Structures are given as C-alpha cells and as structure tokens.
Amino acid sequence: MKILVIACDKSGYPAMIKYTTENTTNHELISILKVPCLGSVKESDILEALEGECDRVLLVGCPIDSCFHQDGSRFAQRRVNRINHLLEEANISKRVAISFVTAEKTSEIKRTLDLISSTPAQEELKP
Amino acid sequence: MSWLKQVLQSGHFAVTAEVGPPKGSDPQVIRKKCNLLKGFVDAVNITDNQTAIVRMSSFASCLIAQEQGIEPVMQMVTRDRNRIALQSDFLGACALGIPNLLCLTGDHQSMGNHPQSKNVYDIDSIQLLQIFKNMRDQKVFQNGEEVKGEMNVFLGAGESPYADPLEFRALRLAKKIAAGAEFIQTQAIFDVDIFTQWMEEVCRLGLHKKSFILAGVIPVKSAKALRYMKNEVPGVVIPDSLIERMEAAVDQKAEGVEVCIETIQKVAQIEGVSGVHIMAIAWESIVPEIVQRSGLLPRPAKGEITSS
Amino acid sequence: MIVGERKPIPEILAMLGDSKKVLVLGCGTCVTVCLTGGDKEAKELASLLRIKGYEADSFTVERQCELEFIHPLRERIQSVDAVISLACGIGVQALYELDSGKSIYPGLNTTFMGMPVKQGNWEERCWGCGDCIIHLFGGTCPITRCAKSLLNGPCGGSKDGKCEVKPDRDCAWQLIYDRLKKLNRLDWLLTIQPPKDWSTSRYGGHRKMTREDMLL
C-alpha cells in the first residue's frame, strides 16, 4: 500500500519526523506533506491525491479536543468519513484514514500505518 | 329517506357498525358480514379503502349491502378522487338510493399498501361536506352550475377527540357541522375521560343540538392489539390502566368485549351522545353480542318510527 | 432556494455507459448553497470519475438555468462524450437547449423548494401553487407542509405536534395553531376555507410568465 501522509505542523508533522527517525519503517510512504492544520485539508485535495499512485491517504494531527485551531481535527474526521463513503459508493478500494497524535507520542502512528497497510478497504470503514 | 336519520331524529340511541370490504372481488364477504349484523345495527359503514389499502370500492359494497336489506353509510375519502369524481359519485349514490354519506379526508397513502401512489387531496373533508350540502340544498355544483334531481342524503363526518391540538378539536367539529355534517362518528374511544371533556366542550358550543354524535368504539381481542394501537394508530389514546387490565385477564378476548360494553354504557350516559359506532375490524361476528349485552336491543323496526 | 440531492454514484456511472470523456458541470446558485452541486461537489465527482478511469473534468457556472451563462460552454460540451450536470432539473434542461448533440445526465435529484432550517438541515417550504395564501395561516403554508394539504385544520393524526405521515416532521397545523394563538387570531381558523383553485398550480398545465415591456 502506497501511503501519502498529510500532517499538521503543530503535532502531526513533528510526530511523523520523530517516528521516521526512530523507526526503520517498512511502510511505503510516498511523501509527508506539512499543512498548518488538518482543518485546511479539503475533500477535493484528498481525492486528487488518490487519483495518483497512492492507495491510502493518512491524515495525522492534533487530538480532536486539543486541536491547535480548535475544530480542525473534528472537521477533518468528518471529511475523512465522508470521503470513505464516497469511495465505497463508487466501488473504489482506496481509503483515507486519520490518526490523532501529540508531537511526542508516535505509537498511534505505527498502529494506524500497520492497520491501513494491511487491511482491505471494506474492513477499514468499520469503526 | 335515511333510516339512520329517522332513528336518530326519533330520539333512539343509534347503533352503527363498520364493514370493511374485502381485498378481493367476492361479494359473499360483504353479504356474510351484513347478514351477521342485520337486526343488530341501524346502518353499516362501508369503508373507502381504509388505511389506504386497496379493497373493493365502497360504492359497489354499499349496493351489495343494500341488496341484503341493510342500510349502508357510504364512506368517501378525498385522498383518491378530485372534486369531479367525488361529485359524480355523489350523484350516482343519490341515483341508486344510498342514503348516508360519510365525508372523510382519508389516511395518507404512505400508511397503506401502495405508498408509491400519487394522492389527490384536491379538497378536504370539510370542503367535501360543503360541496355535497350545496348540491343537495342549493342545487349547485361546486363551480356554481345548476345540478338537477333529488339528493336526499344524510351527511356525516368523522372526528377525533384525541388528536392535537386538543383545544382545537371541538372548534374543528363546529366547522364540520357548519359545512354540513348532520351526524358525526368519532375515532375509537378508550379514554372516556378525555372524551367526556371533549363532549362537554361540544355541548357548550351547542354542537350536539346541530348534529348527532355517535361515539366510536373498538372491541379489542388482546392486550397486544391494544398496545399496538396505542403505539401505531394516530389519533387514538389508550390509558395504560386499560392495557394492564387486559394483560391481567385470563381470557383477554372476553375482557376486550367486556371493556367495549362498559365503554358503550359509559358514553351512552354522556350528554350529547346520540349513538354508538362499533368498529369491530375483522371481528364483525362479535357485534351482535356487544349490542345485545350493552342493552341496545331490540333495534327500532320500520313502522315503529313515523318519518317526520 | 431549490434543494437537490446527489444521485447515488452507481446510478451516475450507469447513466454514463461507455462514455470516456466526461464533463461534470456544477451550478453556482441554489445547489451550491445546499452543498450538493457546487464547484466543490463537481470537483469531487470529477476526481472520483478519474480514479474510476474516466477522462473527467469539472467546471462550474454561476447559473445553469440561464442561457447567457451556459452559452459559452457549448464548444466545451461538444468536445466531451457526456456531461453530468449537478444543477437542478432546470439547469439540466437548459443545457439541452444548447443543442450540443451530447447527452446531459442529471447528477442530482431535484427535491424541493425550501430553506436551511439549521446547519446541515434543509426543509421544504413552497409548492409553487401560484396563489399564495400563507398570510391566512400565520406564515406556515399548509399546502406544502401538511401531508394532505388540508386547508381547514389538522387531520386526526396530529400527535405531540408531529405529523403521522413523517413523525420527525412538525404538524403544519400545530404550527399554524400555535402561531395564530400567539397573534390572537385563532378566530381566523373558524372560517371555512373554500376549495382551492388549483388552476394556477402545476395542475393547470405547464406555466409561463411574460413581461411585455421586457420583450425584445
């Protein structure tokens, strides 16, 4: 699974850097994009990313209740759900995931990356 | 002339019952139900695709009832026909001597077995009453054109004392009566207290003097059926105490009959109530027993009443 | 505004058949505001189609229901195999008026004329009956909002202020009653409303309006 990571510069990006330096990852990360907040990622941005070679888009950012920009992570989660439903409706096996982290805690990243790298699309929709 | 009207006008406590036409073309179904009820009721209501489920037409079923020597009350709903068809059927009913018409709006088709259908609702029940009254009394169609012929029909309407807004229900009845309703059959009564309050308001407005009010009752076979009605049938209020009573009964069917008889006897004591309408849906065979045990026999016979 | 809902994607794909080159056309007016057929939704659908292997592009015009706005699109439409319009049914028909020779497929189901009652919720308000009498009912249109279009009061199925047909919808007559009570105008409800003249509505046939002074 080729994965594009979109990370917020408050917690997601530092956590990703820490994660990649600490782990010799076996995940196929295409790129890590830095954004000011996950709330700034539009549905069409994610879909456009999925048009290319990537199979999964992973959004990494602040926990919902401690988002630096207050509601960014909340909005991002709703968008992720909506896109996954659109993809499912269109019978496309690509998926989007979201992971909430703090700059120091990277264990959640590994868990999510392992999950989206190995599980088929249908399973991922289930909460 | 309507026998039901004669019974009511002569001061007798009237008894009517509901007869649902079959979901099929067998006239025997109507004949059997009518024969069962003959001598126990003054007239039978023939429903018009009630609960928006397709059945034999009310018009045809009324004629079958008439052949059996029982007077029909033809129900007409505005859900399926526009003013053209309703007026046309009205004239047909007059021509064939159907003496009573009950004007209703009808259950919405989404509640029935053809929810995909288009409804009509060109007019509502109050407007329908007014149209028929004007045809009969003013000899005019809804458009103002002259209509010819004798239209000796007794016009009725339904009313629910239980639907919201509660404080508007009696006033809405006043509108129906002003529009032309000469008799009223109410929604099934299980909560006698609310019905009593409603009747007090009806009497305060003097409506019982302008129209005959027949209280609706339903004999229920089980606590389960009662609970279903409480939850699923709009415009019906069922006290929990009644459900508990039914649940506690050894023979729920017998208890249901008992409850129905008690309700009839209670409502008969209420000022302004001129009769009772028994809706024993799919249980018509119980009606004779209910009428008999409620002390409503014998029914007045032709010749006993001189038409006014 | 006119409210529409996106058709299920499998239905859209089925309409497209073997078309390869597809233009998704959004509309910048009502359906943008109800979040179903604007630029954002057009882009999303085009993206999904590209993932599915179509050669898809999107574009949004300010108002698909006006020929002036869509005329410049004629050539672009002719260069594709098919167009999916995310406008209401009016926009779709207007695109056909361009006579481009291409199939224009409706990507939305036009559902009603209504308003956003709260964030993320739209509700029907008007039927376009052609003879407005809202003022007689305290500002709630019974033709639109009562399932039976009753003009003389609630039916027997009004319970706790809700409609028996759709129990999550308010009973129009409860709203009318409450509003008129507040306005101290309950007496209005005692008037028997005569049968409505439906000839001004769609029942009178296809409708048209002309302003002589505006004709060219």
Side-chain angles (χ1 to χ4, degrees):
Chain A
M1 299 277 183
K2 290 182 179 166
I3 303 167
L4 171 77
V5 178
I6 303 177
C8 79
D9 64 11
K10 307 299 177 298
S11 19
Y13 195 73
M16 277 309 294
I17 296 302
K18 187 160 183 271
Y19 171 77
T20 46
T21 44
E22 285 171 1
N23 294 270
T24 38
T25 170
N26 52 357
H27 302 113
E28 270 190 89
L29 300 184
I30 302 170
S31 174
I32 302 171
L33 294 178
K34 187 162 75 169
V35 292
C37 173
L38 291 189
S40 69
V41 183
K42 291 181 288 188
E43 280 116 318
S44 53
D45 298 337
I46 299 170
L47 282 167
E48 252 173 60
L50 291 171
E51 283 177 38
E53 54 171 354
C54 86
D55 306 297
R56 298 284 183 268
V57 171
L58 171 64
L59 271 57
V60 188
C62 315
I64 285 187
D65 292 326
S66 52
C67 170
F68 186 85
H69 293 284
Q70 195 156 337
D71 285 321
S73 295
R74 200 184 315 276
F75 291 152
Q77 177 155 53
R78 287 183 183 189
R79 288 173 193 153
V80 163
N81 291 340
R82 185 164 165 269
I83 292 172
N84 279 334
H85 282 115
L86 279 173
L87 292 166
E88 187 187 34
E89 218 187 307
N91 200 20
I92 295 166
S93 62
K94 300 189 174 195
R95 285 292 179 272
V96 195
I98 188 162
S99 184
F100 302 114
V101 299
T102 56
E104 296 76 31
K105 262 190 98 179
T106 60
S107 57
E108 184 59 23
I109 296 175
K110 181 168 166 38
R111 201 188 68 81
T112 314
L113 282 172
D114 285 345
L115 188 76
I116 64 176
S117 300
S118 58
T119 36
Q122 301 312 325
E123 295 296 310
E124 278 176 39
L125 266 182
K126 288 175 192 159
Chain B
M1 186 185 178
S2 160
W3 173 247
L4 177 63
K5 185 176 177 180
Q6 292 177 50
V7 169
L8 286 162
Q9 281 185 337
S10 65
H12 283 90
F13 191 79
V15 180
T16 56
E18 198 121 311
V19 167
K23 284 169 87 173
S25 62
D26 184 3
Q28 273 309 110
V29 179
I30 305 277
R31 289 188 191 124
K32 272 187 200 154
K33 287 183 181 179
C34 288
N35 289 337
L36 213 60
L37 298 172
K38 209 171 160 182
F40 294 93
V41 299
D42 305 313
V44 289
N45 271 44
I46 311 284
T47 54
D48 181 4
N49 297 302
Q50 64 163 324
T51 62
I53 288 169
V54 184
R55 293 172 180 276
M56 188 189 290
S57 77
S58 175
F59 203 151
S61 306
C62 280
L63 296 180
I64 297 167
Q66 260 179 331
E67 281 170 11
Q68 295 312 109
I70 195 159
E71 182 170 289
V73 176
M74 177 168 154
Q75 294 195 356
M76 290 178 102
V77 300
T78 65
R79 175 192 61 229
D80 310 320
R81 284 168 289 180
N82 67 6
R83 65 192 80 177
I84 299 173
L86 289 163
Q87 290 179 100
S88 163
D89 283 348
F90 175 80
L91 295 178
C94 292
L96 294 169
I98 294 171
N100 311 295
L101 290 177
L102 191 81
C103 301
L104 305 165
T105 301
D107 294 313
H108 194 270
Q109 80 281 0
S110 64
M111 325 284 272
N113 66 353
H114 287 70
Q116 306 87 349
S117 64
K118 194 173 173 182
N119 61 37
V120 179
Y121 295 126
D122 175 22
I123 52 175
D124 60 32
S125 58
I126 291 178
Q127 293 161 345
L128 185 64
L129 283 162
Q130 199 169 44
I131 290 172
F132 287 170
K133 184 180 197 280
N134 290 343
M135 286 174 83
R136 184 190 65 191
D137 301 344
Q138 312 296 322
K139 298 283 179 240
V140 286
F141 284 109
Q142 188 271 324
N143 64 355
E145 280 176 25
E146 187 197 353
V147 54
K148 292 193 177 78
E150 279 304 305
M151 282 157 258
N152 200 5
V153 285
F154 191 39
L155 295 175
E159 184 56 59
S160 170
Y162 301 108
D164 285 328
L166 271 184
E167 59 273 37
F168 187 53
R169 298 321 297 198
L171 291 173
R172 186 158 180 271
L173 181 70
K175 277 180 95 164
K176 286 195 169 175
I177 292 168
E182 297 162 288
F183 70 99
I184 303 293
Q185 290 170 326
T186 74
Q187 175 63 279
I189 293 151
F190 291 100
D191 190 318
V192 180
D193 293 340
I194 296 178
F195 178 71
T196 306
Q197 287 164 26
W198 180 75
M199 278 307 298
E200 277 169 14
E201 185 63 10
V202 166
C203 292
R204 197 185 63 77
L205 295 168
L207 301 176
H208 63 308
K209 297 223 166 80
K210 296 179 185 161
S211 185
F212 298 104
I213 293 162
L214 280 69
V217 290
I218 297 182
V220 177
K221 282 181 180 172
S222 65
K224 199 180 147 202
L226 206 54
R227 198 178 289 282
Y228 172 82
M229 284 180 64
K230 184 185 173 81
N231 297 330
E232 305 295 331
V233 183
V236 179
V237 170
I238 295 169
D240 288 329
S241 59
L242 193 59
I243 297 176
E244 284 160 20
R245 176 179 161 183
M246 284 289 282
E247 272 168 350
V250 183
D251 183 346
Q252 294 200 353
K253 247 172 139 173
E255 193 71 2
V257 173
E258 200 62 46
V259 168
C260 186
I261 293 165
E262 280 174 31
T263 309
I264 291 173
Q265 287 169 340
K266 275 187 211 159
V267 296
Q269 301 303 314
I270 298 171
E271 191 199 349
V273 176
S274 300
V276 68
H277 176 55
I278 306 166
M279 296 172 274
I281 301 140
W283 198 18
E284 284 87 353
S285 59
I286 197 65
V287 174
E289 183 188 332
I290 292 172
V291 176
Q292 189 259 321
R293 287 179 53 202
S294 301
L296 297 171
L297 288 182
R299 298 310 309 149
K302 307 248 165 165
E304 271 179 47
I305 298 171
T306 44
S307 103
S308 53
Chain C
M1 71 171 82
I2 292 174
V3 178
E5 285 180 68
R6 182 178 48 75
K7 279 183 180 285
I9 290 168
E11 191 184 335
I12 294 174
L13 296 176
M15 286 190 289
L16 285 175
D18 56 6
S19 308
K20 291 276 173 293
K21 215 174 161 189
V22 179
L23 176 63
V24 181
L25 271 184
C27 176
T29 309
C30 312
V31 292
T32 291
V33 190
C34 71
L35 309 175
T36 43
D39 194 45
K40 186 171 163 279
E41 292 78 23
K43 279 190 174 134
E44 283 169 13
L45 184 58
S47 229
L48 283 171
L49 290 174
R50 283 193 293 270
I51 300 172
K52 292 294 282 184
Y54 292 87
E55 197 185 315
D57 202 357
S58 70
F59 187 74
T60 300
V61 279
E62 197 52 38
R63 280 206 284 283
Q64 269 190 43
C65 59
E66 287 200 54
L67 294 172
E68 288 86 338
F69 285 88
I70 56 175
H71 251 297
L73 288 171
R74 195 164 182 272
E75 274 178 29
R76 191 159 176 193
I77 290 172
Q78 279 172 329
S79 73
V80 298
D81 300 328
V83 174
I84 298 169
S85 164
L86 293 187
C88 67
I90 309 165
V92 180
Q93 291 180 65
L95 290 175
Y96 270 100
E97 301 251 327
L98 295 178
D99 224 4
S100 62
K102 300 291 175 182
S103 284
I104 320 285
Y105 298 113
L108 297 191
N109 293 319
T110 309
T111 39
F112 53 82
M113 284 192 273
M115 63 181 273
V117 286
K118 58 179 179 186
Q119 177 78 11
N121 258 305
W122 290 263
E123 257 189 40
E124 187 171 18
R125 284 292 181 268
C126 178
W127 243 31
C129 76
D131 181 17
C132 192
I133 46 171
I134 291 171
H135 59 293
L136 300 176
F137 305 100
T140 296
C141 173
I143 295 159
T144 312
R145 294 171 73 181
C146 167
K148 300 177 185 175
S149 294
L150 299 180
L151 293 178
N152 280 298
C155 75
S158 174
K159 198 74 215 154
D160 303 323
K162 297 294 170 189
C163 171
E164 66 169 333
V165 176
K166 296 247 166 84
D168 64 332
R169 310 302 142 85
D170 291 329
C171 165
W173 275 97
Q174 183 73 51
L175 298 175
I176 293 168
Y177 184 85
D178 293 345
R179 182 77 58 78
L180 290 180
K181 195 173 179 183
K182 235 183 245 174
L183 297 173
N184 214 8
R185 287 287 182 194
L186 280 178
D187 56 306
W188 287 6
L189 295 182
L190 300 180
T191 310
I192 296 177
Q193 292 297 331
K196 189 172 166 63
D197 176 358
W198 295 107
S199 67
T200 54
S201 80
R202 207 201 60 79
Y203 298 112
H206 178 232
R207 290 173 281 180
K208 196 174 164 172
M209 183 184 91
T210 309
R211 265 278 297 262
E212 294 292 343
D213 59 323
M214 295 301 288
L215 298 175
L216 291 176

